[in-house]
């Protein structure tokens, strides 16, 4: 009788961190009881519990936050065209359409990921690149022991040592990409070949202490879907940080994991340490070297003197700006905002302590009754102290978040009156780059102005240059006074927008524009959430909200980013809904943030409508997933241009122009914990919560010595908004009753009555 083979169960290999290999994730197998002899098999199967469906196993980087903000045509554009567009963007007069630091990082990430993918695929297939025909083609490879002849199709076979070296080099390239921007790199690696996911784990099998492979494997390790917090250990990141203390990027990654785990305080500490490390060990490419700075200054001087653009500057990689500081500021602002929201619920008194009835008190002795009253009073003081401390933490951390958001916004610029020819010139240069046409010298005369705070020059005369402001300056206590009015009647009532026939060429001379960043929308709306927690006055918050809407409608990632959903925007919309629009916005947030129409480029030398058709064709082609190389890109552009010309001839010339990515990520505001916390603070928190301590810490109005009945006090956001808008009048409560603001006094009883009526 032949012997039965024993079922060999191989142990799951472990990586350097001691965790199971990502290639073969281990899942608990269900226990099935043995089948009793003589029993009906069908009935036995019915009694056996069915195993749960296996969890979806995906790479850890697919869980990363804000990955939707980095989707766009840059993932499909040929690297050569992407690099050309990055330098075109850099040489465009400020404010540049896209943040140069982010744009240059995208170029480097694309090249690094593409190179790593090629190395990983070649190592997985076991063959090298095609070699030229000839007897001497294998001589050097054979002598070095890197290959042993050719296989079918003239492909050189790779030795195990050569495969390891290729995978090691691929891991180094991927590590560098993740150091530049872990969000953008995660998006880029998702669309690469599958061998890229295993390259780091294969390197760690031979060298478990390779720091680059450790860092890459942390992102590519496969875990159950939506279980990053439960299935992620900080051991690998701790080892990398200990091995490379001069790098701030692993600290940034560890902070992101802490945010997933709910450790916002630890995340803020890691991000603060990363900022300190980055500023102390600032790499050379974060600031231009002196020769490069002199070259830029000479370039701008010649441009200002002659009014004509000279040859474009091509920055070396060491001179290109870095986006690490803005990444750290944005992430730390979000961490501080989460800390503030976490303390909101503790900032309100819970269920009051039960007061014993008179009969119970009478039954007890006087001593016991006195002891109980003393304990009740002590508990009440402790609760009040905890509430006041929580309110202080809410306000303190919201101010910290606001500070970081403002520092983040200071890196980007806005112009209220950019000449239309500058915007047209950038679009024309993008079209030429996409079609492989050599870029001619600019035909326009314009000067690169510095950041200005007033529309006058040094002599006091009106400035002819377009004005540039940092985005943070727009939210200052004294914002620029020369901005176009917003919101306009057309924004509030879109149905009354003038047709194109009513717009003359004389009116279309300038346009508003900002520098785009993938995280800009989230930072702008996060700023509003911070002001809500700080209890900025309704009038001031209304001004900030209109400024955010003005900038959000101008944000356009053309030609490399597509519109994305902003979590902070969804939370802000939910806060507006729950707070019943307490700041009295003139329209819905969707209408206020509706994308602004593209400027009409109707200069005779560029063909007006034909130029618009070509621009739209480039927009659509760049967003086509089927475009994979330069040839398919040109074919897609030509096909769309032909169709647009036919449609233009059939339709009348007065139809509204479309905009690339017009749907700015339709929001579906589902109330999150952050939105609920901010909304509760807006509706229920007393005025000046967390600013004072002592008997008036609960927000009750202080007693005034003179004229206590003449001051009008708004005890809720809705009353404050109405008081800021008109000072007197009436406020309609949710129930329909009206409260006369003119008859409100500072009496505590009146304030309580008004608050109850509004609730």
């Amino acid at each position: 009788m032949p012997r039965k083979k024993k079922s060999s169960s191989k142990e799951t290999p472990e990586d350097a961190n001691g965790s199971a290999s990502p290639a073969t994730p281990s899942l608990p197998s269900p226990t099935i009881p043995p089948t009793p002899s003589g029993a009906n098999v069908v009935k036995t199967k019915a009694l056996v519990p069915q195993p749960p469906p296996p969890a979806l196993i995906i790479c850890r980087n697919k869980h990363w936050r804000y990955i939707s903000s980095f989707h766009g045509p840059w993932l499909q554009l040929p690297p050569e065209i992407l690099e050309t567009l990055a330098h075109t963007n850099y040489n465009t007069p400020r404010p540049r359409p896209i943040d140069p630091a982010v744009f240059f990082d995208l170029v480097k990430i694309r090249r690094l990921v593409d190179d790593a993918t090629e190395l990983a695929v070649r190592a997985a297939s076991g063959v090298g690149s095609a070699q030229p025909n000839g007897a001497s083609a294998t001589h050097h490879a054979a002598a070095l022991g890197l290959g042993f002849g050719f296989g079918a199709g003239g492909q050189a076979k790779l030795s195990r040592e050569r495969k390891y070296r290729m995978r090691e080099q691929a891991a180094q390239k991927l590590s560098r990409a993740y150091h530049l921007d872990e969000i953008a790199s995660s998006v880029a690696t998702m669309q690469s070949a599958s061998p890229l996911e295993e390259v780091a784990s294969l390197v760690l099998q031979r060298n478990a202490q390779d720091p680059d492979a450790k860092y890459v494997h942390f992102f590519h390790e496969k875990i159950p879907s939506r279980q990053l917090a439960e299935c992620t250990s900080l051991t690998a990141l701790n080892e990398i940080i200990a091995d490379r203390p001069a790098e701030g990027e692993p600290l940034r990654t560890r902070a992101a994991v802490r945010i997933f785990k709910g450790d916002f305080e630890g995340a803020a500490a890691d991000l603060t340490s990363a900022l300190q490390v980055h500023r102390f060990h600032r790499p050379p490419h974060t600031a231009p070297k002196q020769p490069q700075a002199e070259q830029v200054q000479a370039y701008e001087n010649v441009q200002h003197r002659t009014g004509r653009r000279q040859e474009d500057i091509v920055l070396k990689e060491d001179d290109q700006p870095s986006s690490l500081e803005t990444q750290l500021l944005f992430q730390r602002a979000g961490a501080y905002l989460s800390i503030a929201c976490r303390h909101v619920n503790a900032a309100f008194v819970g269920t009051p302590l039960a007061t014993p009835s008179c009969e119970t008190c009478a039954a007890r002795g006087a001593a016991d009754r006195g002891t109980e009253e003393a304990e009740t009073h002590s508990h009440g003081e402790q609760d009040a102290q905890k509430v006041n401390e929580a309110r202080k933490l809410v306000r303190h951390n919201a101010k910290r978040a606001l500070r970081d958001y403002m520092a983040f916004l200071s890196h980007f610029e806005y112009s209220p009156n950019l000449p239309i020819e500058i915007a047209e010139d950038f679009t024309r240069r993008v079209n030429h780059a996409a079609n492989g046409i050599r870029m001619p010298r600019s035909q326009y005369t314009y000067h690169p102005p510095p950041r200005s705070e007033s529309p006058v020059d040094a002599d006091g005369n009106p400035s002819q240059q377009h004005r540039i402001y940092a985005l943070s300056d727009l939210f200052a206590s004294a914002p620029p006074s020369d901005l176009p009015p917003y919101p306009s009647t057309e924004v509030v009532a879109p149905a009354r927008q003038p047709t194109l026939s009513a717009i003359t060429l004389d009116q279309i001379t300038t346009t508003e524009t900002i520098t785009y960043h993938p995280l800009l929308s989230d930072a702008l709306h996060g700023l509003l959430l911070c002001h809500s927690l700080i209890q900025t006055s309704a009038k001031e918050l209304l001004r900030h909200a209109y400024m955010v809407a003005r900038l959000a409608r101008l944000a356009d990632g053309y030609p490399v980013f597509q519109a994305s959903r902003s979590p902070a925007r969804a939370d802000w919309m939910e806060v507006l809904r729950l707070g019943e629009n307490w700041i009295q916005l003139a329209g819905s947030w969707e209408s206020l943030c509706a994308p602004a129409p593209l400027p009409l480029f109707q200069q005779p030398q560029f063909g007006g409508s034909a130029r618009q058709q070509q621009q739209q064709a480039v927009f659509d082609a760049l967003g086509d997933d089927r475009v994979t190389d330069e040839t398919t890109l040109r074919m897609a552009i030509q096909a769309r241009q032909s169709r647009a010309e036919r449609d233009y001839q059939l339709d009348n010339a007065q139809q509204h122009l479309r905009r690339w990515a017009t749907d700015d990520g339709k929001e579906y505001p589902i109330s999150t914990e952050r939105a609920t916390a901010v909304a509760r603070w807006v509706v229920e928190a007393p005025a000046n919560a967390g600013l004072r301590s002592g008997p008036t810490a609960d927000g009750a109005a202080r007693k005034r010595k003179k004229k206590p009945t003449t001051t009008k006090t708004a005890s809720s956001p809705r009353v404050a908004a109405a008081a800021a808008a008109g000072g007197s009048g009436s406020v309609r409560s949710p129930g329909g009753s009206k409260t006369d603001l003119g008859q409100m006094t500072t009496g505590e009883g009146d304030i309580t009555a008004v608050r109850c009526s509004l609730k």
Side-chain angles (χ1 to χ4, degrees):
M1 182 176 179
R3 298 175 60 185
K4 294 183 180 179
K5 295 182 179 180
K6 296 183 179 179
S7 59
S8 59
S9 60
K10 297 182 179 180
E11 295 183 358
T12 304
E14 293 186 352
D15 56 20
N17 305 330
S19 58
S21 173
T24 57
S26 59
L27 296 174
S29 57
T31 304
I32 303 177
T35 304
S37 58
N40 191 312
V41 178
V42 178
K43 293 182 179 180
T44 304
K45 287 185 177 180
L47 297 176
V48 175
Q50 296 297 325
L56 178 63
I57 306 298
I58 59 176
C59 293
R60 182 177 285 112
N61 63 358
K62 290 183 173 64
H63 297 80
W64 231 242
R65 304 175 70 206
Y66 302 107
I67 57 176
S68 64
S69 300
F70 284 81
H71 286 287
W74 72 275
L75 297 166
Q76 289 82 32
L77 281 173
E80 297 78 13
I81 293 181
L82 190 62
E83 185 174 8
T84 301
L85 295 177
H87 284 97
T88 299
N89 175 78
Y90 180 78
N91 287 279
T92 300
R94 303 188 350 252
R96 298 181 176 97
I98 297 177
D99 177 37
V102 170
F103 212 150
F104 283 123
D105 281 352
L106 296 185
V107 175
K108 288 179 278 192
I109 289 172
R110 270 294 306 277
R111 291 193 179 278
L112 290 169
V113 172
D114 290 352
D115 293 346
T117 301
E118 181 182 359
L119 290 169
V121 171
R122 288 171 53 194
S125 61
V127 294
S129 59
Q131 299 289 338
N133 295 328
S136 62
T138 60
H139 173 70
H140 299 290
L144 295 175
L146 301 180
F148 303 94
F150 289 96
Q155 297 287 336
K157 296 180 179 179
L158 300 177
S159 64
R160 295 183 62 183
E161 180 67 20
R162 178 58 177 163
K163 291 180 182 178
Y164 170 75
R165 295 302 177 189
M166 293 173 66
R167 292 187 174 112
E168 184 182 41
Q169 187 178 3
Q172 293 172 357
K173 290 180 177 293
L174 289 175
S175 176
R176 186 183 171 195
Y178 280 111
H179 275 70
L180 290 172
D181 193 315
E182 58 190 17
I183 305 176
S185 298
S186 297
V187 177
T189 54
M190 289 178 196
Q191 303 192 13
S192 301
S194 56
L196 200 67
E197 299 178 353
E198 309 296 337
V199 65
S201 62
L202 294 175
V203 173
L204 290 175
Q205 289 180 2
R206 181 166 177 177
N207 182 9
Q209 302 303 321
D210 189 319
D212 289 322
K214 277 187 192 178
Y215 193 54
V216 175
H217 177 62
F218 177 83
F219 290 99
H220 292 184
E221 185 180 14
K222 294 187 177 180
I223 60 175
S225 178
R226 301 180 181 274
Q227 298 183 26
L228 187 144
E230 299 85 355
C231 302
T232 301
S233 172
L234 297 177
T235 303
L237 293 176
N238 295 338
E239 295 174 353
I240 296 172
I241 293 171
D243 292 341
R244 296 181 173 180
E247 295 181 356
E249 293 83 356
L251 286 166
R252 174 200 62 195
T253 305
R254 189 171 70 178
V257 179
R258 291 187 189 275
I259 290 176
F260 276 106
K261 292 178 175 289
D263 182 13
F264 301 113
E265 291 82 0
D270 279 346
L271 293 167
T272 301
S273 300
L275 276 169
Q276 295 173 350
V277 170
H278 170 68
R279 290 166 179 170
F280 184 78
H281 302 280
R282 189 182 298 271
H285 64 267
T286 56
K289 297 179 181 179
Q290 188 62 26
Q292 184 66 38
E294 294 176 356
Q295 181 184 2
V296 173
Q297 185 63 38
Y299 166 83
E300 293 188 349
N301 290 339
V302 172
Q303 183 178 348
H304 180 82
R305 184 175 63 255
T306 63
R308 185 179 294 275
R309 173 180 290 153
Q310 304 302 308
E311 294 296 329
D312 287 347
I313 295 178
V314 178
L315 290 179
K316 297 179 181 178
E317 186 171 331
D318 293 339
D319 296 330
Q320 293 174 0
S322 169
S323 65
L324 179 59
E325 184 169 352
T326 56
Q327 297 174 37
L328 299 176
L329 288 171
F330 176 83
Q331 297 289 353
R332 191 173 69 172
Y336 282 139
L337 181 56
S338 298
I339 295 174
C341 294
R342 172 173 286 182
H343 289 93
V344 166
N345 289 334
F348 299 98
V349 179
T351 305
L353 295 176
T355 302
S357 61
C358 296
E359 297 179 357
T360 306
C361 292
R364 296 176 181 173
D368 294 339
R369 184 167 61 253
T371 303
E372 272 194 17
E373 291 177 354
E375 291 179 354
T376 302
H377 180 71
S378 176
H379 285 305
E381 289 183 349
Q382 293 178 3
D383 291 342
Q385 184 177 1
K386 291 180 181 179
V387 166
N388 189 48
E389 186 65 26
R391 291 175 179 175
K392 288 182 179 180
L393 291 174
V394 171
R395 184 178 292 270
H396 176 65
N397 287 284
K399 286 185 176 180
R400 284 182 166 184
L402 180 62
R403 177 199 61 192
D404 283 346
Y405 278 133
M406 293 290 283
F408 174 82
L409 295 177
S410 66
H411 289 78
F412 316 112
E413 296 175 329
Y414 161 85
S415 175
N417 61 337
L418 181 75
I420 197 71
E421 59 264 21
I422 295 181
E424 209 290 342
D425 185 42
F426 175 73
T427 302
R428 180 176 60 89
R429 292 164 72 84
V430 170
N431 293 341
H432 280 78
N435 288 278
I437 304 174
R438 184 177 180 180
M439 192 63 55
R441 182 176 294 178
S442 175
Q443 303 180 23
Y444 296 110
T445 58
Y446 47 80
H447 310 294
R451 284 185 180 179
S452 58
E453 297 182 358
S454 62
V456 296
D457 56 16
D459 299 329
N461 300 320
S463 176
Q464 300 299 325
Q465 301 176 351
H466 66 277
R467 297 176 297 281
I468 299 176
Y469 303 100
L471 294 188
S472 55
D473 295 340
L474 304 180
F475 298 94
S477 57
S481 59
D482 59 331
L483 303 183
Y486 188 86
S488 61
T489 306
E490 289 77 14
V491 173
V492 178
R496 296 185 178 181
Q497 288 185 356
T499 59
L500 297 183
S501 59
I503 303 177
T504 62
L505 293 179
D506 295 336
Q507 295 175 308
I508 309 173
T509 58
T510 62
T511 180
E512 291 182 275
T513 185
I514 64 171
T515 301
Y516 182 83
H517 188 280
L519 303 175
L520 179 61
S521 177
D522 209 78
L524 290 172
H525 290 85
L527 180 142
L528 296 179
L529 297 177
C530 293
H531 276 291
S532 300
L533 294 175
I534 296 174
Q535 293 184 321
T536 301
S537 65
K539 183 177 180 180
E540 188 75 3
L541 183 53
L542 179 65
R543 179 176 68 86
H544 291 323
Y546 282 148
M547 188 63 68
V548 168
R550 176 202 297 270
L551 300 178
R553 66 194 296 265
L554 298 174
D556 190 350
Y558 169 78
V560 292
F561 292 109
Q562 69 183 26
S564 62
R565 182 182 181 276
S566 167
R569 174 174 172 173
D571 287 346
W572 169 247
M573 293 170 63
E574 183 70 2
V575 171
L576 285 175
R577 185 185 69 84
L578 296 176
E580 299 181 5
N581 190 17
W582 82 99
I583 59 175
Q584 302 299 317
L585 287 171
S588 67
W589 194 250
E590 294 88 342
S591 62
L592 292 171
C593 296
L598 285 173
L600 302 180
F601 304 142
Q602 297 185 4
Q603 286 76 11
Q605 61 268 35
F606 295 111
S609 60
R611 179 61 56 190
Q612 282 292 326
Q613 294 173 5
Q614 184 179 10
Q615 180 187 9
Q616 187 62 47
V618 176
F619 288 159
D620 296 339
L622 292 177
D624 193 340
D625 294 338
R626 295 169 296 179
V627 174
T628 57
D629 53 18
E630 185 175 354
T631 302
T632 56
L633 176 63
R634 292 179 181 176
M635 293 174 60
I637 294 175
Q638 292 175 0
R640 284 167 171 79
Q641 286 178 344
S642 300
R643 185 184 62 182
E645 291 174 359
R646 293 194 302 268
D647 294 343
Y648 185 81
Q649 294 174 359
L650 295 175
D651 300 337
N652 60 67
Q654 303 302 330
Q655 60 183 352
H656 290 286
L657 300 176
R658 294 187 295 120
R659 172 193 178 101
W660 179 66
T662 54
D663 184 7
D664 189 17
K666 278 289 186 181
E667 306 294 350
Y668 300 94
I670 301 175
S671 187
T672 62
E673 292 183 5
R674 182 171 66 175
T676 303
V678 176
R680 184 182 184 189
W681 182 266
V682 165
V683 174
E684 300 182 19
N688 300 324
L691 284 180
R692 299 191 296 268
S693 58
T696 59
D698 59 348
R702 293 182 174 181
K703 294 183 179 180
R704 299 179 182 270
K705 295 181 180 180
K706 296 182 180 180
K707 298 181 180 180
T709 61
T710 58
T711 304
K712 302 169 185 177
T713 304
S715 59
S716 73
R718 288 178 289 277
V719 177
S728 63
S730 61
V731 176
R732 185 174 297 276
S733 66
S737 60
K738 292 185 178 180
T739 302
D740 191 1
L741 294 179
Q743 298 179 356
M744 291 178 60
T745 65
T746 56
E748 183 174 356
D750 293 335
I751 293 176
T752 305
V754 173
R755 181 179 292 116
C756 293
S757 67
L758 290 175
K759 290 183 180 179

